[in-house]
Amino acid sequence: MSGKCYGTCKYGIYNEMQGYVCVNGDSEYVADFVEYGHTCEDWEGEDDDEHN
């Protein structure tokens, strides 16, 4: 699972005050602040787009 963490997930938004927050409505971590290296089964890369 190398590289599949919130720091590289399209749903991992960085907030300067608190760090990374998950904005994926399908994830159990939605609206939670997480560490850069945290992993999740709902990870999607920045380039993953089902609507191309």
PDB file of all heavy atoms in Angstrom, residues 3-43:
ATOM      1  N   GLY A   3       2.404   4.635  -0.656  1.00  0.00           N
ATOM      2  CA  GLY A   3       1.918   5.843  -1.300  1.00  0.00           C
ATOM      3  C   GLY A   3       0.429   6.082  -1.160  1.00  0.00           C
ATOM      4  O   GLY A   3      -0.050   7.144  -1.497  1.00  0.00           O
ATOM      5  N   LYS A   4      -0.325   5.098  -0.679  1.00  0.00           N
ATOM      6  CA  LYS A   4      -1.770   5.265  -0.532  1.00  0.00           C
ATOM      7  C   LYS A   4      -2.078   5.756   0.881  1.00  0.00           C
ATOM      8  O   LYS A   4      -2.381   4.984   1.778  1.00  0.00           O
ATOM      9  CB  LYS A   4      -2.495   3.960  -0.825  1.00  0.00           C
ATOM     10  CG  LYS A   4      -2.406   3.568  -2.280  1.00  0.00           C
ATOM     11  CD  LYS A   4      -3.234   2.343  -2.563  1.00  0.00           C
ATOM     12  CE  LYS A   4      -3.213   2.010  -4.040  1.00  0.00           C
ATOM     13  NZ  LYS A   4      -4.052   0.872  -4.355  1.00  0.00           N
ATOM     14  N   CYS A   5      -1.962   7.069   1.058  1.00  0.00           N
ATOM     15  CA  CYS A   5      -2.207   7.675   2.368  1.00  0.00           C
ATOM     16  C   CYS A   5      -2.975   8.984   2.166  1.00  0.00           C
ATOM     17  O   CYS A   5      -3.193   9.419   1.042  1.00  0.00           O
ATOM     18  CB  CYS A   5      -0.881   7.921   3.074  1.00  0.00           C
ATOM     19  SG  CYS A   5       0.192   9.091   2.234  1.00  0.00           S
ATOM     20  N   TYR A   6      -3.379   9.614   3.243  1.00  0.00           N
ATOM     21  CA  TYR A   6      -4.157  10.844   3.120  1.00  0.00           C
ATOM     22  C   TYR A   6      -3.384  11.973   2.467  1.00  0.00           C
ATOM     23  O   TYR A   6      -3.964  12.838   1.831  1.00  0.00           O
ATOM     24  CB  TYR A   6      -4.714  11.283   4.477  1.00  0.00           C
ATOM     25  CG  TYR A   6      -6.022  10.597   4.739  1.00  0.00           C
ATOM     26  CD1 TYR A   6      -6.072   9.438   5.492  1.00  0.00           C
ATOM     27  CD2 TYR A   6      -7.193  11.065   4.181  1.00  0.00           C
ATOM     28  CE1 TYR A   6      -7.260   8.776   5.698  1.00  0.00           C
ATOM     29  CE2 TYR A   6      -8.383  10.411   4.374  1.00  0.00           C
ATOM     30  CZ  TYR A   6      -8.413   9.265   5.140  1.00  0.00           C
ATOM     31  OH  TYR A   6      -9.583   8.616   5.327  1.00  0.00           O
ATOM     32  N   GLY A   7      -2.077  11.952   2.593  1.00  0.00           N
ATOM     33  CA  GLY A   7      -1.270  12.970   1.929  1.00  0.00           C
ATOM     34  C   GLY A   7      -1.326  12.887   0.419  1.00  0.00           C
ATOM     35  O   GLY A   7      -1.071  13.867  -0.266  1.00  0.00           O
ATOM     36  N   THR A   8      -1.692  11.713  -0.125  1.00  0.00           N
ATOM     37  CA  THR A   8      -1.763  11.526  -1.572  1.00  0.00           C
ATOM     38  C   THR A   8      -3.185  11.233  -2.060  1.00  0.00           C
ATOM     39  O   THR A   8      -3.396  11.016  -3.247  1.00  0.00           O
ATOM     40  CB  THR A   8      -0.835  10.386  -2.026  1.00  0.00           C
ATOM     41  OG1 THR A   8      -1.250   9.166  -1.409  1.00  0.00           O
ATOM     42  CG2 THR A   8       0.614  10.674  -1.672  1.00  0.00           C
ATOM     43  N   CYS A   9      -4.150  11.237  -1.168  1.00  0.00           N
ATOM     44  CA  CYS A   9      -5.546  10.944  -1.523  1.00  0.00           C
ATOM     45  C   CYS A   9      -6.256  12.207  -2.004  1.00  0.00           C
ATOM     46  O   CYS A   9      -6.057  13.288  -1.449  1.00  0.00           O
ATOM     47  CB  CYS A   9      -6.276  10.379  -0.294  1.00  0.00           C
ATOM     48  SG  CYS A   9      -8.006   9.943  -0.607  1.00  0.00           S
ATOM     49  N   LYS A  10      -7.087  12.055  -3.020  1.00  0.00           N
ATOM     50  CA  LYS A  10      -7.800  13.234  -3.507  1.00  0.00           C
ATOM     51  C   LYS A  10      -8.821  13.747  -2.487  1.00  0.00           C
ATOM     52  O   LYS A  10      -9.283  14.871  -2.590  1.00  0.00           O
ATOM     53  CB  LYS A  10      -8.464  12.953  -4.859  1.00  0.00           C
ATOM     54  CG  LYS A  10      -9.684  12.081  -4.837  1.00  0.00           C
ATOM     55  CD  LYS A  10     -10.227  11.962  -6.263  1.00  0.00           C
ATOM     56  CE  LYS A  10     -11.450  11.110  -6.360  1.00  0.00           C
ATOM     57  NZ  LYS A  10     -11.924  11.027  -7.762  1.00  0.00           N
ATOM     58  N   TYR A  11      -9.141  12.954  -1.475  1.00  0.00           N
ATOM     59  CA  TYR A  11     -10.066  13.383  -0.429  1.00  0.00           C
ATOM     60  C   TYR A  11      -9.361  13.860   0.835  1.00  0.00           C
ATOM     61  O   TYR A  11     -10.010  14.207   1.814  1.00  0.00           O
ATOM     62  CB  TYR A  11     -11.019  12.245  -0.069  1.00  0.00           C
ATOM     63  CG  TYR A  11     -11.908  11.845  -1.218  1.00  0.00           C
ATOM     64  CD1 TYR A  11     -11.748  10.622  -1.846  1.00  0.00           C
ATOM     65  CD2 TYR A  11     -12.903  12.699  -1.679  1.00  0.00           C
ATOM     66  CE1 TYR A  11     -12.564  10.252  -2.901  1.00  0.00           C
ATOM     67  CE2 TYR A  11     -13.712  12.348  -2.739  1.00  0.00           C
ATOM     68  CZ  TYR A  11     -13.536  11.123  -3.343  1.00  0.00           C
ATOM     69  OH  TYR A  11     -14.339  10.766  -4.390  1.00  0.00           O
ATOM     70  N   GLY A  12      -8.049  13.884   0.824  1.00  0.00           N
ATOM     71  CA  GLY A  12      -7.292  14.384   1.968  1.00  0.00           C
ATOM     72  C   GLY A  12      -6.984  15.855   1.780  1.00  0.00           C
ATOM     73  O   GLY A  12      -6.072  16.227   1.072  1.00  0.00           O
ATOM     74  N   ILE A  13      -7.763  16.710   2.389  1.00  0.00           N
ATOM     75  CA  ILE A  13      -7.599  18.158   2.260  1.00  0.00           C
ATOM     76  C   ILE A  13      -6.747  18.669   3.413  1.00  0.00           C
ATOM     77  O   ILE A  13      -6.975  18.311   4.562  1.00  0.00           O
ATOM     78  CB  ILE A  13      -8.984  18.857   2.286  1.00  0.00           C
ATOM     79  CG1 ILE A  13      -9.902  18.272   1.207  1.00  0.00           C
ATOM     80  CG2 ILE A  13      -8.840  20.359   2.142  1.00  0.00           C
ATOM     81  CD1 ILE A  13      -9.405  18.414  -0.204  1.00  0.00           C
ATOM     82  N   TYR A  14      -5.756  19.523   3.106  1.00  0.00           N
ATOM     83  CA  TYR A  14      -4.877  20.035   4.148  1.00  0.00           C
ATOM     84  C   TYR A  14      -5.436  21.322   4.731  1.00  0.00           C
ATOM     85  O   TYR A  14      -5.771  22.253   4.010  1.00  0.00           O
ATOM     86  CB  TYR A  14      -3.471  20.277   3.601  1.00  0.00           C
ATOM     87  CG  TYR A  14      -2.507  20.677   4.682  1.00  0.00           C
ATOM     88  CD1 TYR A  14      -2.018  19.724   5.567  1.00  0.00           C
ATOM     89  CD2 TYR A  14      -2.104  21.986   4.841  1.00  0.00           C
ATOM     90  CE1 TYR A  14      -1.144  20.066   6.587  1.00  0.00           C
ATOM     91  CE2 TYR A  14      -1.232  22.345   5.849  1.00  0.00           C
ATOM     92  CZ  TYR A  14      -0.766  21.382   6.718  1.00  0.00           C
ATOM     93  OH  TYR A  14       0.089  21.735   7.728  1.00  0.00           O
ATOM     94  N   ASN A  15      -5.528  21.366   6.060  1.00  0.00           N
ATOM     95  CA  ASN A  15      -5.975  22.539   6.792  1.00  0.00           C
ATOM     96  C   ASN A  15      -4.778  23.045   7.595  1.00  0.00           C
ATOM     97  O   ASN A  15      -4.213  22.284   8.388  1.00  0.00           O
ATOM     98  CB  ASN A  15      -7.127  22.143   7.724  1.00  0.00           C
ATOM     99  CG  ASN A  15      -7.563  23.259   8.626  1.00  0.00           C
ATOM    100  OD1 ASN A  15      -6.837  23.640   9.538  1.00  0.00           O
ATOM    101  ND2 ASN A  15      -8.744  23.759   8.394  1.00  0.00           N
ATOM    102  N   GLU A  16      -4.371  24.284   7.424  1.00  0.00           N
ATOM    103  CA  GLU A  16      -3.164  24.809   8.069  1.00  0.00           C
ATOM    104  C   GLU A  16      -3.219  24.751   9.595  1.00  0.00           C
ATOM    105  O   GLU A  16      -2.193  24.633  10.246  1.00  0.00           O
ATOM    106  CB  GLU A  16      -2.898  26.240   7.611  1.00  0.00           C
ATOM    107  CG  GLU A  16      -2.424  26.315   6.180  1.00  0.00           C
ATOM    108  CD  GLU A  16      -2.033  27.704   5.755  1.00  0.00           C
ATOM    109  OE1 GLU A  16      -1.698  28.542   6.625  1.00  0.00           O
ATOM    110  OE2 GLU A  16      -2.070  27.964   4.556  1.00  0.00           O
ATOM    111  N   MET A  17      -4.382  24.823  10.172  1.00  0.00           N
ATOM    112  CA  MET A  17      -4.507  24.816  11.628  1.00  0.00           C
ATOM    113  C   MET A  17      -4.488  23.409  12.226  1.00  0.00           C
ATOM    114  O   MET A  17      -3.969  23.207  13.309  1.00  0.00           O
ATOM    115  CB  MET A  17      -5.802  25.517  12.053  1.00  0.00           C
ATOM    116  CG  MET A  17      -5.886  26.962  11.641  1.00  0.00           C
ATOM    117  SD  MET A  17      -4.692  27.986  12.478  1.00  0.00           S
ATOM    118  CE  MET A  17      -5.370  28.018  14.105  1.00  0.00           C
ATOM    119  N   GLN A  18      -5.067  22.417  11.537  1.00  0.00           N
ATOM    120  CA  GLN A  18      -5.253  21.092  12.120  1.00  0.00           C
ATOM    121  C   GLN A  18      -4.577  19.952  11.366  1.00  0.00           C
ATOM    122  O   GLN A  18      -4.535  18.840  11.855  1.00  0.00           O
ATOM    123  CB  GLN A  18      -6.749  20.775  12.220  1.00  0.00           C
ATOM    124  CG  GLN A  18      -7.526  21.712  13.108  1.00  0.00           C
ATOM    125  CD  GLN A  18      -7.187  21.523  14.575  1.00  0.00           C
ATOM    126  OE1 GLN A  18      -6.861  20.424  15.022  1.00  0.00           O
ATOM    127  NE2 GLN A  18      -7.227  22.597  15.325  1.00  0.00           N
ATOM    128  N   GLY A  19      -4.120  20.176  10.159  1.00  0.00           N
ATOM    129  CA  GLY A  19      -3.526  19.105   9.357  1.00  0.00           C
ATOM    130  C   GLY A  19      -4.510  18.595   8.321  1.00  0.00           C
ATOM    131  O   GLY A  19      -5.354  19.332   7.832  1.00  0.00           O
ATOM    132  N   TYR A  20      -4.430  17.313   8.014  1.00  0.00           N
ATOM    133  CA  TYR A  20      -5.283  16.726   6.977  1.00  0.00           C
ATOM    134  C   TYR A  20      -6.658  16.352   7.523  1.00  0.00           C
ATOM    135  O   TYR A  20      -6.787  15.876   8.639  1.00  0.00           O
ATOM    136  CB  TYR A  20      -4.632  15.480   6.370  1.00  0.00           C
ATOM    137  CG  TYR A  20      -3.495  15.840   5.452  1.00  0.00           C
ATOM    138  CD1 TYR A  20      -2.207  15.962   5.942  1.00  0.00           C
ATOM    139  CD2 TYR A  20      -3.725  16.081   4.100  1.00  0.00           C
ATOM    140  CE1 TYR A  20      -1.161  16.327   5.097  1.00  0.00           C
ATOM    141  CE2 TYR A  20      -2.687  16.438   3.266  1.00  0.00           C
ATOM    142  CZ  TYR A  20      -1.416  16.561   3.771  1.00  0.00           C
ATOM    143  OH  TYR A  20      -0.392  16.918   2.939  1.00  0.00           O
ATOM    144  N   VAL A  21      -7.672  16.589   6.689  1.00  0.00           N
ATOM    145  CA  VAL A  21      -9.038  16.192   7.030  1.00  0.00           C
ATOM    146  C   VAL A  21      -9.601  15.413   5.845  1.00  0.00           C
ATOM    147  O   VAL A  21      -9.346  15.732   4.691  1.00  0.00           O
ATOM    148  CB  VAL A  21      -9.928  17.417   7.367  1.00  0.00           C
ATOM    149  CG1 VAL A  21     -10.088  18.346   6.190  1.00  0.00           C
ATOM    150  CG2 VAL A  21     -11.277  16.986   7.896  1.00  0.00           C
ATOM    151  N   CYS A  22     -10.350  14.359   6.149  1.00  0.00           N
ATOM    152  CA  CYS A  22     -10.968  13.538   5.109  1.00  0.00           C
ATOM    153  C   CYS A  22     -12.302  14.154   4.689  1.00  0.00           C
ATOM    154  O   CYS A  22     -13.123  14.486   5.538  1.00  0.00           O
ATOM    155  CB  CYS A  22     -11.191  12.123   5.633  1.00  0.00           C
ATOM    156  SG  CYS A  22     -12.056  11.067   4.452  1.00  0.00           S
ATOM    157  N   VAL A  23     -12.513  14.289   3.381  1.00  0.00           N
ATOM    158  CA  VAL A  23     -13.776  14.831   2.872  1.00  0.00           C
ATOM    159  C   VAL A  23     -14.503  13.826   1.974  1.00  0.00           C
ATOM    160  O   VAL A  23     -15.366  14.203   1.191  1.00  0.00           O
ATOM    161  CB  VAL A  23     -13.562  16.178   2.136  1.00  0.00           C
ATOM    162  CG1 VAL A  23     -13.061  17.241   3.090  1.00  0.00           C
ATOM    163  CG2 VAL A  23     -12.604  16.025   0.962  1.00  0.00           C
ATOM    164  N   ASN A  24     -14.172  12.540   2.119  1.00  0.00           N
ATOM    165  CA  ASN A  24     -14.815  11.485   1.332  1.00  0.00           C
ATOM    166  C   ASN A  24     -16.067  11.016   2.083  1.00  0.00           C
ATOM    167  O   ASN A  24     -15.969  10.372   3.119  1.00  0.00           O
ATOM    168  CB  ASN A  24     -13.852  10.322   1.114  1.00  0.00           C
ATOM    169  CG  ASN A  24     -14.437   9.209   0.286  1.00  0.00           C
ATOM    170  OD1 ASN A  24     -15.624   9.178   0.018  1.00  0.00           O
ATOM    171  ND2 ASN A  24     -13.604   8.274  -0.112  1.00  0.00           N
ATOM    172  N   GLY A  25     -17.240  11.293   1.560  1.00  0.00           N
ATOM    173  CA  GLY A  25     -18.501  10.921   2.188  1.00  0.00           C
ATOM    174  C   GLY A  25     -18.687   9.423   2.344  1.00  0.00           C
ATOM    175  O   GLY A  25     -19.506   8.985   3.147  1.00  0.00           O
ATOM    176  N   ASP A  26     -17.926   8.607   1.613  1.00  0.00           N
ATOM    177  CA  ASP A  26     -18.030   7.148   1.710  1.00  0.00           C
ATOM    178  C   ASP A  26     -17.077   6.549   2.739  1.00  0.00           C
ATOM    179  O   ASP A  26     -17.135   5.358   3.013  1.00  0.00           O
ATOM    180  CB  ASP A  26     -17.741   6.506   0.348  1.00  0.00           C
ATOM    181  CG  ASP A  26     -18.804   6.849  -0.681  1.00  0.00           C
ATOM    182  OD1 ASP A  26     -19.979   7.044  -0.294  1.00  0.00           O
ATOM    183  OD2 ASP A  26     -18.455   6.926  -1.874  1.00  0.00           O
ATOM    184  N   SER A  27     -16.211   7.363   3.317  1.00  0.00           N
ATOM    185  CA  SER A  27     -15.201   6.873   4.251  1.00  0.00           C
ATOM    186  C   SER A  27     -15.688   6.955   5.694  1.00  0.00           C
ATOM    187  O   SER A  27     -16.405   7.887   6.069  1.00  0.00           O
ATOM    188  CB  SER A  27     -13.919   7.697   4.123  1.00  0.00           C
ATOM    189  OG  SER A  27     -12.991   7.346   5.128  1.00  0.00           O
ATOM    190  N   GLU A  28     -15.260   6.010   6.516  1.00  0.00           N
ATOM    191  CA  GLU A  28     -15.589   6.056   7.940  1.00  0.00           C
ATOM    192  C   GLU A  28     -14.859   7.201   8.633  1.00  0.00           C
ATOM    193  O   GLU A  28     -15.183   7.558   9.756  1.00  0.00           O
ATOM    194  CB  GLU A  28     -15.245   4.733   8.611  1.00  0.00           C
ATOM    195  CG  GLU A  28     -13.763   4.428   8.659  1.00  0.00           C
ATOM    196  CD  GLU A  28     -13.456   3.088   9.294  1.00  0.00           C
ATOM    197  OE1 GLU A  28     -13.489   2.992  10.531  1.00  0.00           O
ATOM    198  OE2 GLU A  28     -13.194   2.143   8.525  1.00  0.00           O
ATOM    199  N   TYR A  29     -13.875   7.816   7.958  1.00  0.00           N
ATOM    200  CA  TYR A  29     -13.093   8.905   8.529  1.00  0.00           C
ATOM    201  C   TYR A  29     -13.560  10.280   8.063  1.00  0.00           C
ATOM    202  O   TYR A  29     -12.904  11.278   8.348  1.00  0.00           O
ATOM    203  CB  TYR A  29     -11.613   8.725   8.179  1.00  0.00           C
ATOM    204  CG  TYR A  29     -11.054   7.428   8.697  1.00  0.00           C
ATOM    205  CD1 TYR A  29     -10.843   6.349   7.843  1.00  0.00           C
ATOM    206  CD2 TYR A  29     -10.767   7.264  10.041  1.00  0.00           C
ATOM    207  CE1 TYR A  29     -10.343   5.144   8.317  1.00  0.00           C
ATOM    208  CE2 TYR A  29     -10.267   6.058  10.525  1.00  0.00           C
ATOM    209  CZ  TYR A  29     -10.064   5.007   9.656  1.00  0.00           C
ATOM    210  OH  TYR A  29      -9.576   3.825  10.137  1.00  0.00           O
ATOM    211  N   VAL A  30     -14.676  10.369   7.365  1.00  0.00           N
ATOM    212  CA  VAL A  30     -15.153  11.648   6.837  1.00  0.00           C
ATOM    213  C   VAL A  30     -15.255  12.681   7.965  1.00  0.00           C
ATOM    214  O   VAL A  30     -15.714  12.379   9.063  1.00  0.00           O
ATOM    215  CB  VAL A  30     -16.491  11.497   6.072  1.00  0.00           C
ATOM    216  CG1 VAL A  30     -17.639  11.128   6.992  1.00  0.00           C
ATOM    217  CG2 VAL A  30     -16.813  12.769   5.295  1.00  0.00           C
ATOM    218  N   ALA A  31     -14.750  13.862   7.702  1.00  0.00           N
ATOM    219  CA  ALA A  31     -14.727  15.010   8.620  1.00  0.00           C
ATOM    220  C   ALA A  31     -13.758  14.823   9.791  1.00  0.00           C
ATOM    221  O   ALA A  31     -13.711  15.651  10.677  1.00  0.00           O
ATOM    222  CB  ALA A  31     -16.115  15.354   9.129  1.00  0.00           C
ATOM    223  N   ASP A  32     -12.951  13.758   9.776  1.00  0.00           N
ATOM    224  CA  ASP A  32     -11.949  13.540  10.818  1.00  0.00           C
ATOM    225  C   ASP A  32     -10.614  14.134  10.389  1.00  0.00           C
ATOM    226  O   ASP A  32     -10.248  14.096   9.215  1.00  0.00           O
ATOM    227  CB  ASP A  32     -11.730  12.043  11.068  1.00  0.00           C
ATOM    228  CG  ASP A  32     -12.879  11.389  11.795  1.00  0.00           C
ATOM    229  OD1 ASP A  32     -13.749  12.107  12.335  1.00  0.00           O
ATOM    230  OD2 ASP A  32     -12.914  10.147  11.818  1.00  0.00           O
ATOM    231  N   PHE A  33      -9.880  14.663  11.363  1.00  0.00           N
ATOM    232  CA  PHE A  33      -8.506  15.077  11.112  1.00  0.00           C
ATOM    233  C   PHE A  33      -7.621  13.843  11.208  1.00  0.00           C
ATOM    234  O   PHE A  33      -7.773  13.040  12.131  1.00  0.00           O
ATOM    235  CB  PHE A  33      -8.069  16.143  12.116  1.00  0.00           C
ATOM    236  CG  PHE A  33      -8.746  17.453  11.872  1.00  0.00           C
ATOM    237  CD1 PHE A  33      -9.827  17.839  12.647  1.00  0.00           C
ATOM    238  CD2 PHE A  33      -8.321  18.291  10.860  1.00  0.00           C
ATOM    239  CE1 PHE A  33     -10.467  19.042  12.414  1.00  0.00           C
ATOM    240  CE2 PHE A  33      -8.958  19.499  10.617  1.00  0.00           C
ATOM    241  CZ  PHE A  33     -10.031  19.868  11.397  1.00  0.00           C
ATOM    242  N   VAL A  34      -6.750  13.668  10.233  1.00  0.00           N
ATOM    243  CA  VAL A  34      -5.895  12.487  10.159  1.00  0.00           C
ATOM    244  C   VAL A  34      -4.460  12.916   9.876  1.00  0.00           C
ATOM    245  O   VAL A  34      -4.206  14.013   9.397  1.00  0.00           O
ATOM    246  CB  VAL A  34      -6.385  11.515   9.062  1.00  0.00           C
ATOM    247  CG1 VAL A  34      -7.740  10.927   9.402  1.00  0.00           C
ATOM    248  CG2 VAL A  34      -6.443  12.199   7.715  1.00  0.00           C
ATOM    249  N   GLU A  35      -3.524  12.028  10.160  1.00  0.00           N
ATOM    250  CA  GLU A  35      -2.109  12.268   9.858  1.00  0.00           C
ATOM    251  C   GLU A  35      -1.856  12.049   8.360  1.00  0.00           C
ATOM    252  O   GLU A  35      -2.588  11.325   7.697  1.00  0.00           O
ATOM    253  CB  GLU A  35      -1.250  11.302  10.658  1.00  0.00           C
ATOM    254  CG  GLU A  35      -1.353  11.479  12.159  1.00  0.00           C
ATOM    255  CD  GLU A  35      -0.758  12.781  12.632  1.00  0.00           C
ATOM    256  OE1 GLU A  35       0.269  13.214  12.072  1.00  0.00           O
ATOM    257  OE2 GLU A  35      -1.336  13.380  13.564  1.00  0.00           O
ATOM    258  N   TYR A  36      -0.792  12.650   7.855  1.00  0.00           N
ATOM    259  CA  TYR A  36      -0.420  12.507   6.445  1.00  0.00           C
ATOM    260  C   TYR A  36      -0.334  11.040   6.039  1.00  0.00           C
ATOM    261  O   TYR A  36      -0.838  10.639   4.996  1.00  0.00           O
ATOM    262  CB  TYR A  36       0.921  13.194   6.183  1.00  0.00           C
ATOM    263  CG  TYR A  36       1.427  13.051   4.767  1.00  0.00           C
ATOM    264  CD1 TYR A  36       1.167  14.045   3.836  1.00  0.00           C
ATOM    265  CD2 TYR A  36       2.150  11.934   4.360  1.00  0.00           C
ATOM    266  CE1 TYR A  36       1.626  13.925   2.525  1.00  0.00           C
ATOM    267  CE2 TYR A  36       2.609  11.808   3.058  1.00  0.00           C
ATOM    268  CZ  TYR A  36       2.341  12.811   2.151  1.00  0.00           C
ATOM    269  OH  TYR A  36       2.790  12.681   0.856  1.00  0.00           O
ATOM    270  N   GLY A  37       0.277  10.202   6.861  1.00  0.00           N
ATOM    271  CA  GLY A  37       0.510   8.804   6.523  1.00  0.00           C
ATOM    272  C   GLY A  37      -0.637   7.860   6.832  1.00  0.00           C
ATOM    273  O   GLY A  37      -0.528   6.662   6.601  1.00  0.00           O
ATOM    274  N   HIS A  38      -1.753   8.376   7.344  1.00  0.00           N
ATOM    275  CA  HIS A  38      -2.903   7.522   7.659  1.00  0.00           C
ATOM    276  C   HIS A  38      -3.431   6.878   6.383  1.00  0.00           C
ATOM    277  O   HIS A  38      -3.464   7.507   5.337  1.00  0.00           O
ATOM    278  CB  HIS A  38      -3.998   8.374   8.308  1.00  0.00           C
ATOM    279  CG  HIS A  38      -5.186   7.585   8.749  1.00  0.00           C
ATOM    280  ND1 HIS A  38      -5.241   6.967   9.963  1.00  0.00           N
ATOM    281  CD2 HIS A  38      -6.349   7.305   8.119  1.00  0.00           C
ATOM    282  CE1 HIS A  38      -6.407   6.344  10.076  1.00  0.00           C
ATOM    283  NE2 HIS A  38      -7.085   6.536   8.971  1.00  0.00           N
ATOM    284  N   THR A  39      -3.843   5.621   6.475  1.00  0.00           N
ATOM    285  CA  THR A  39      -4.390   4.912   5.312  1.00  0.00           C
ATOM    286  C   THR A  39      -5.847   4.531   5.543  1.00  0.00           C
ATOM    287  O   THR A  39      -6.318   4.492   6.672  1.00  0.00           O
ATOM    288  CB  THR A  39      -3.587   3.641   5.007  1.00  0.00           C
ATOM    289  OG1 THR A  39      -3.637   2.787   6.130  1.00  0.00           O
ATOM    290  CG2 THR A  39      -2.150   3.969   4.660  1.00  0.00           C
ATOM    291  N   CYS A  40      -6.539   4.251   4.451  1.00  0.00           N
ATOM    292  CA  CYS A  40      -7.974   3.964   4.497  1.00  0.00           C
ATOM    293  C   CYS A  40      -8.334   3.119   3.279  1.00  0.00           C
ATOM    294  O   CYS A  40      -7.767   3.290   2.201  1.00  0.00           O
ATOM    295  CB  CYS A  40      -8.722   5.292   4.474  1.00  0.00           C
ATOM    296  SG  CYS A  40     -10.490   5.200   4.217  1.00  0.00           S
ATOM    297  N   GLU A  41      -9.292   2.226   3.427  1.00  0.00           N
ATOM    298  CA  GLU A  41      -9.693   1.376   2.292  1.00  0.00           C
ATOM    299  C   GLU A  41     -10.419   2.155   1.202  1.00  0.00           C
ATOM    300  O   GLU A  41     -10.577   1.677   0.087  1.00  0.00           O
ATOM    301  CB  GLU A  41     -10.549   0.210   2.768  1.00  0.00           C
ATOM    302  CG  GLU A  41     -11.872   0.605   3.360  1.00  0.00           C
ATOM    303  CD  GLU A  41     -12.648  -0.585   3.902  1.00  0.00           C
ATOM    304  OE1 GLU A  41     -12.035  -1.468   4.521  1.00  0.00           O
ATOM    305  OE2 GLU A  41     -13.858  -0.604   3.689  1.00  0.00           O
ATOM    306  N   ASP A  42     -10.838   3.384   1.473  1.00  0.00           N
ATOM    307  CA  ASP A  42     -11.540   4.208   0.483  1.00  0.00           C
ATOM    308  C   ASP A  42     -10.606   5.178  -0.243  1.00  0.00           C
ATOM    309  O   ASP A  42     -11.065   6.101  -0.908  1.00  0.00           O
ATOM    310  CB  ASP A  42     -12.669   4.994   1.165  1.00  0.00           C
ATOM    311  CG  ASP A  42     -13.737   4.073   1.718  1.00  0.00           C
ATOM    312  OD1 ASP A  42     -14.193   3.190   0.977  1.00  0.00           O
ATOM    313  OD2 ASP A  42     -14.105   4.230   2.896  1.00  0.00           O
ATOM    314  N   TRP A  43      -9.284   4.967  -0.132  1.00  0.00           N
ATOM    315  CA  TRP A  43      -8.296   5.846  -0.765  1.00  0.00           C
ATOM    316  C   TRP A  43      -8.503   5.897  -2.269  1.00  0.00           C
ATOM    317  O   TRP A  43      -8.769   4.892  -2.919  1.00  0.00           O
ATOM    318  CB  TRP A  43      -6.891   5.331  -0.466  1.00  0.00           C
ATOM    319  CG  TRP A  43      -5.796   6.177  -1.045  1.00  0.00           C
ATOM    320  CD1 TRP A  43      -5.166   7.211  -0.432  1.00  0.00           C
ATOM    321  CD2 TRP A  43      -5.204   6.063  -2.346  1.00  0.00           C
ATOM    322  NE1 TRP A  43      -4.216   7.745  -1.262  1.00  0.00           N
ATOM    323  CE2 TRP A  43      -4.216   7.051  -2.452  1.00  0.00           C
ATOM    324  CE3 TRP A  43      -5.412   5.220  -3.423  1.00  0.00           C
ATOM    325  CZ2 TRP A  43      -3.447   7.225  -3.594  1.00  0.00           C
ATOM    326  CZ3 TRP A  43      -4.648   5.393  -4.555  1.00  0.00           C
ATOM    327  CH2 TRP A  43      -3.668   6.383  -4.633  1.00  0.00           C
TER     328      TRP A  43
END
